[in-house]
């Protein structure tokens, strides 16, 4: 079981697999006023940076599930590196129906809401692990400006412009699902550049190390087209943020 190989190549050197910088992740951790000992569940935990740094900085206990064998392995190494391996557990697996035995104070899905079939389904899934009064965290893109054509939406790697909402509508949609938005931290362009541009050097180095690999053609095509695609579309049209929700 694993994710498509292209992500394990392009994001192999990422610690954070979304447009948040380490500073934004720290801002979010502080904004949530986490109490030591809070249990935090993270579906699609990537390389574990959120749980590991929050365990170090706020004394939380974490459980992360991720379908990438590479990322889940990197998360375990990061926990050891930060001295929090006794506080955070990383499981390699499909999070699509993962529910914790003991309820958690914070249940998160940061940039992986397809896991629950979209934002609403993911909130429903996370709610099954959440103690009463707990916080759900959703990391999700939104349109900075509505794409004028469907080609522009596709240029942002969306299937259609209806994949995402504008920020006011996204915030209102959480209300429609019965949740208060109690905090939010938004990514900025600098963070988008860190997330996207870091893939380019990783791809270039991978191509140099693996010229004969079956995948080299695809990675080469990606490296050639990505900088322009990103600057034309994603960088101009897409925002991203993490939204903290509490049931009304
Ligand atoms: N939350 C992390 C990772 C976001 S990238 C961060 O912010 O850094 C999306 C992640 O979802 C990837 O790590 C990918 O491996 C994982 N993923 C994709 N499908 C999944 C599934 N069905 N179950 C668990 N993890 C999944």
């Amino acid at each position: 079981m694993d994710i498509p190989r292209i992500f394990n190549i392009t994001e192999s050197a990422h610690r954070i697999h979304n447009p948040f910088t380490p500073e934004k992740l720290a801002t979010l951790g502080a904004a949530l006023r986490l109490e030591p000992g809070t249990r935090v569940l993270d579906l699609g935990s990537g390389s574990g940076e959120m749980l590991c740094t929050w365990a170090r900085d706020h004394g939380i206990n974490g459980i992360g599930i991720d379908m990438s064998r590479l990322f889940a392995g990197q998360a375990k190494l990061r926990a050891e590196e930060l001295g929090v391996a006794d506080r955070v557990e990383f499981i390699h697996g499909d999070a699509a129906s993962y529910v914790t035995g003991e309820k958690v104070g914070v249940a998160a899905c940061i940039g992986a809401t397809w896991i629950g079939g979209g934002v609403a389904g993911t909130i429903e899934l996370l709610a099954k692990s959440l103690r009463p009064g707990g916080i759900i965290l959703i990391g999700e893109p939104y349109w900075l400006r509505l794409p004028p054509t469907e080609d522009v939406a596709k240029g942002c790697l969306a299937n259609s412009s209806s994949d995402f909402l504008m920020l006011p509508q996204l915030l209102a949609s959480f209300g429609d699902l019965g949740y208060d938005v109690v905090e939010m931290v938004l990514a900025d362009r600098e963070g988008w550049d860190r997330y996207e541009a870091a893939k380019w050097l990783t791809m270039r180095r991978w191509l140099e190390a693996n010229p004969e690999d079956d995948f080299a053609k695809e990675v080469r095509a990606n490296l050639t087209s990505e900088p322009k695609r990103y600057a034309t579309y994603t960088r101009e049209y897409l925002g991203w943020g993490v939204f903290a929700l509490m049931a009304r």
Side-chain angles (χ1 to χ4, degrees):
M1 179 199 302
D2 215 316
I3 59 171
R5 189 172 174 216
I6 189 74
F7 301 110
N8 281 326
I9 294 171
T10 58
E11 298 192 25
S12 60
H14 283 57
R15 264 195 191 136
I16 302 174
H17 303 263
N18 69 54
F20 258 17
T21 55
E23 292 76 24
K24 292 278 181 182
L25 209 48
T27 298
L28 177 64
L32 295 175
R33 306 171 205 171
L34 298 162
E35 302 280 344
T38 302
R39 290 165 52 77
V40 181
L41 171 68
D42 191 9
L43 303 186
S45 45
S47 300
E49 192 68 3
M50 183 174 86
L51 292 181
C52 290
T53 54
W54 289 3
R56 178 193 61 192
D57 299 340
H58 302 289
I60 60 108
N61 295 314
I63 316 165
I65 296 95
D66 199 281
M67 206 155 89
S68 163
R69 188 179 296 280
L70 175 71
F71 300 165
Q74 289 179 165
K76 287 181 193 173
L77 293 176
R78 186 67 172 148
E80 282 165 27
E81 188 182 8
L82 296 188
V84 295
D86 56 337
R87 302 269 273 283
V88 294
E89 182 189 357
F90 291 103
I91 300 166
H92 171 237
D94 188 347
S97 55
Y98 189 88
V99 177
T100 50
E102 191 184 332
K103 301 253 194 261
V104 300
V106 177
C109 182
I110 307 298
T113 52
W114 59 86
I115 285 176
V119 171
T122 299
I123 290 175
E124 214 173 293
L125 172 61
L126 291 170
K128 292 181 186 164
S129 297
L130 196 68
R131 68 162 173 73
I135 290 180
I136 287 180
L137 297 179
I138 294 287
E140 186 71 4
Y142 57 87
W143 295 120
L144 294 171
R145 311 189 261 146
L146 272 186
T149 65
E150 284 302 305
D151 280 350
V152 170
K154 288 193 169 68
C156 297
L157 307 183
N159 291 312
S160 100
S161 55
S162 64
D163 280 11
F164 308 124
L165 299 169
M166 300 278 290
L167 182 60
Q169 284 72 33
L170 178 59
L171 293 170
S173 76
F174 295 125
D176 296 341
L177 294 170
Y179 285 85
D180 286 324
V181 181
V182 297
E183 254 295 0
M184 72 174 185
V185 177
L186 303 181
D188 56 21
R189 270 192 172 169
E190 177 60 26
W192 270 109
D193 292 351
R194 288 302 80 240
Y195 176 49
E196 295 292 341
K199 297 176 192 174
W200 310 337
L201 181 57
T202 303
M203 285 195 274
R204 175 62 198 248
R205 294 241 161 105
W206 185 90
L207 280 168
E208 279 165 16
N210 301 277
E212 305 303 327
D213 195 285
D214 289 348
F215 234 64
K217 229 171 125 186
E218 186 170 339
V219 173
R220 164 37 66 195
N222 224 294
L223 175 57
T224 304
S225 60
E226 268 299 289
K228 183 175 176 211
R229 182 207 64 77
Y230 166 64
T232 308
Y233 299 111
T234 305
R235 197 170 193 273
E236 291 298 315
Y237 288 93
L238 261 195
W240 193 89
V242 177
F243 306 93
L245 314 174
M246 291 177 74
R248 281 183 181 152

